[in-house]
Amino acid sequence: MMDEALYSIPQQLSAAAWPGWLIVRASDPAALVAALASENPERLIAVQLLDLTTDSEPFNAWAPGLPIELIMRDPAGEFPLLYGHSNLLDNHPVRAVVPVQPGFGKAVKVALALDFAVRLEPAQPEPALVEELADILEFYLHQATVSQPVEFFHGTLLGFYHNQPEPLWAVLDEEPQSLRYVADDGTESRHGRLAGADIPADSAPDADLAGWIDRVLASAEQCRSCEFLASCGGYFKWPRRDYDCAGVKRLFGELRAAAADLRRDLAAAPN
Ligand code: SF4
C-alpha cells in the first residue's frame, strides 16, 4: 500500500481537517452520506461500519465501488446481523472484519456464504484459538464453495506460492508507516496492535515498511531467526513482546505446505 498518510477517522469529525487518504468509521450511514456529499470521494479509500444493527441501505447507491468493511465486535453473537447487509454487494466490495475470539468461525462461514471477503483480526491467539484458526484455515483451503479471500490466509498463501512473501502488516492493511488512528476526540495515535506501544518517534521516521520491520517491528531476537519472518514481519510479537509464536508458526507452516501442494497440482495438470 501507499506510504502516504492514511487516517482512520470517526464520522463525526470533519474529513476536510485531515490530509491524505481516509478511512471513515461510521455508525450512522445516512448521516455519513449527507456529511460527505461535498467531499472528494477519491480521498476515501474505505468506510467501516461499526454498528451492524444499523440500516446500511443509504450506502447502497452511494459512491459505487467504494470498499465497505463490516466491523464485528462479538462474532459469535453478531453473525446473524451480516445477512442484513448483503445488498451492499450490488455496488461495493464488502469485507467482514472478524476478531479471532471463541466461536469466530461461525461468522467467517456466514460471511463467506454471503460472498463477503473476510479480514481476520488475529490479535495474539492463545492455543485454543490457534486450534480454531487451524479449523477455519482447513475450511478455507478445502471447501470448494469458498470464492472470497480470507485474510491473512489468502495473502500469505499467495506469498508462499509466488515466492514473494508479504508481511502481515501489509496483508492485513496495518502498515504503521502510513496508518494513523484518530480517536473520537481528534487525538492521533498509532493504529491497532501498536496503539500505546512504546515506540520512540524517531525509531523509523521516514522508513518504508521494510525499514519499520527491520528497525522496530521484528527487532526481537526470536523474529530475526524465525523462518517465517518474511511472511510475518514480527506481527505476532505485538503488543506483548513475550508472546509464544509456536501456534502461529504452525499456521504459517500449513499455509506454506498448501502453497507447495498447489504448485505441485498445477505442474501435474494437463495443459
Ligand atoms: S512468527 Fe513470531 S517469531 Fe516469527 S516473525 Fe512472526 S512474531 Fe516473530
Side-chain angles (χ1 to χ4, degrees), residues 217-218 220 222-224 226-230 232-238 243-245 248-249 252:
L217 304 172
Q222 288 171 354
C223 295
R224 298 280 187 207
C226 177
E227 62 182 314
F228 299 114
L229 173 58
C232 176
Y235 185 87
F236 284 109
K237 287 294 185 192
W238 298 88
Y243 176 72
D244 180 352
C245 289
V248 296
K249 286 182 183 179
F252 280 122

Side-chain angles (χ1 to χ4, degrees), residues 172-235:
L172 288 169
D173 293 340
E174 293 182 47
E175 297 187 40
Q177 79 282 10
S178 57
L179 190 53
R180 306 290 294 169
Y181 183 85
V182 181
D184 290 355
D185 65 0
T187 55
E188 274 184 49
S189 66
R190 299 194 193 284
H191 194 274
R193 66 213 290 123
L194 296 184
D198 186 17
I199 302 173
D202 60 355
S203 297
D206 300 317
D208 59 9
L209 180 57
W212 262 83
I213 288 172
D214 185 50
R215 288 187 231 168
V216 180
L217 304 172
S219 57
E221 190 49 45
Q222 288 171 354
C223 295
R224 298 280 187 207
S225 58
C226 177
E227 62 182 314
F228 299 114
L229 173 58
S231 296
C232 176
Y235 185 87

